[in-house]
Amino acid sequence: MRRLHATVRGRVQGVGFRATTRYEAQKLGLSGWVRNRTDGTVEVDAEGDEQRLEAFLAYLRQGPLGAHVDAVEADWGDGAGAPASFEIRRTT
């Protein structure tokens, strides 16, 4: 079990990024969360099989239609017990 923590920069708020991120994570069988940040970025924390997380990271680098991703900062680690489902959390 691996963990991916990512910060997505660009035009990523107000374009359905969180909802489509949750959909992609659920489709891949990942657990974790996504939230908007007050600085205009989107923060993602996901856990699962490394191969599935790599596919998820590829999605984050592209985003949904209407988004423009400038950069994704990704940090990898060992799984730490993310929530059982994939949640959309409140903006911080």
Side-chain angles (χ1 to χ4, degrees):
M1 181 74 70
R2 297 283 288 159
R3 177 178 174 260
L4 168 67
H5 184 87
T7 302
V8 186
R9 300 183 185 288
R11 188 176 68 226
V12 293
Q13 291 189 12
V15 293
F17 204 100
R18 290 177 300 162
T20 57
T21 295
R22 179 175 62 181
Y23 173 78
E24 290 295 324
Q26 290 172 334
K27 191 168 76 171
L28 290 167
L30 303 174
S31 59
W33 51 266
V34 59
R35 67 180 168 199
N36 284 343
R37 301 289 309 241
T38 57
D39 64 1
T41 63
V42 171
E43 182 180 17
V44 181
D45 197 80
E47 290 189 12
D49 173 85
E50 189 166 355
Q51 186 175 12
R52 292 175 188 226
L53 287 170
E54 288 284 359
F56 186 58
L57 181 57
Y59 163 77
L60 293 176
R61 289 184 172 132
Q62 182 176 32
L65 188 63
H68 179 81
V69 176
D70 291 330
V72 178
E73 298 168 15
D75 294 311
W76 292 88
D78 293 328
S85 62
F86 200 91
E87 308 170 346
I88 294 177
R89 291 193 174 171
R90 297 182 75 146
T91 300
T92 60

